[in-house]
């Protein structure tokens, strides 16, 4: 995330917080970013210098009609400043501020197969008890982990996968041989 994205996303968060709109703005900003990811050609169109900025902003008005004016105006500001490519970073900065203010910590768990509802609840309960925060858990499956779990939480990786254990075993064997 760039400093510009932090500044812009943080400013939008402050404005939304003043109006007690942090959650709906987060949802709409997430939807806008998702829309651009689903339609990258539209994003390229909005970044085309040969199209006047006024027309590009008009396209944003039409595409995001019905969204909160703060979100639409934010997108128009990014467009006018040729910063639409920073939207993901702005959203990340906004979400970080939102999570900090609401006692939320994001975690990603990777397993070979999807977790059962019971396993997911057990993991959430343990993480919340350990951190004292509400955990927003993202699940990923990756057959290459073979078994076990890999957890990314607060910038740390806890790797209890079979894949990682095999790597450590290989390293131990290589060190013995040398």
């Amino acid at each position: 995330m760039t400093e510009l994205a932090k500044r812009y996303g943080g400013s939008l968060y402050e404005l939304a917080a003043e109006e007690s709109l942090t959650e709906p703005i987060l949802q709409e900003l997430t939807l806008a970013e998702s829309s651009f990811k689903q339609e990258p050609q539209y994003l390229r169109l909005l970044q085309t210098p040969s199209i006047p900025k006024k027309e590009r902003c008009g396209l944003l008005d039409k595409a995001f009609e019905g969204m909160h004016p703060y979100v639409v105006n934010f997108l128009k500001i990014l467009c006018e400043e040729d910063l639409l490519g920073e939207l993901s970073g702005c959203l990340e900065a906004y979400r970080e501020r939102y999570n900090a203010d609401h006692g939320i910590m994001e975690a990603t768990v990777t397993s070979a197969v999807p977790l059962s509802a019971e396993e997911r609840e057990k993991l959430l309960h343990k993480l919340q008890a350990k951190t004292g925060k509400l955990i927003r858990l993202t699940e990923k499956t990756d057959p290459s982990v073979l078994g076990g779990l890999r957890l990314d939480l607060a910038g740390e990786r806890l790797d209890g996968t079979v894949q990682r254990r095999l790597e450590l075993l290989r390293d131990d064997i290589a060190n013995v041989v040398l």
Side-chain angles (χ1 to χ4, degrees), residues 74-85:
F74 183 73
L75 294 173
K76 288 164 61 173
I77 288 169
L78 292 180
C79 183
E80 289 172 353
E81 299 296 323
D82 295 322
L83 294 173
L84 276 172

Side-chain angles (χ1 to χ4, degrees), residues 57-78:
C57 288
L59 291 171
L60 285 168
D61 279 329
K62 288 179 185 170
F64 296 102
E65 185 177 13
M67 280 196 172
H68 195 281
Y70 287 173
V71 174
V72 177
N73 289 335
F74 183 73
L75 294 173
K76 288 164 61 173
I77 288 169
L78 292 180

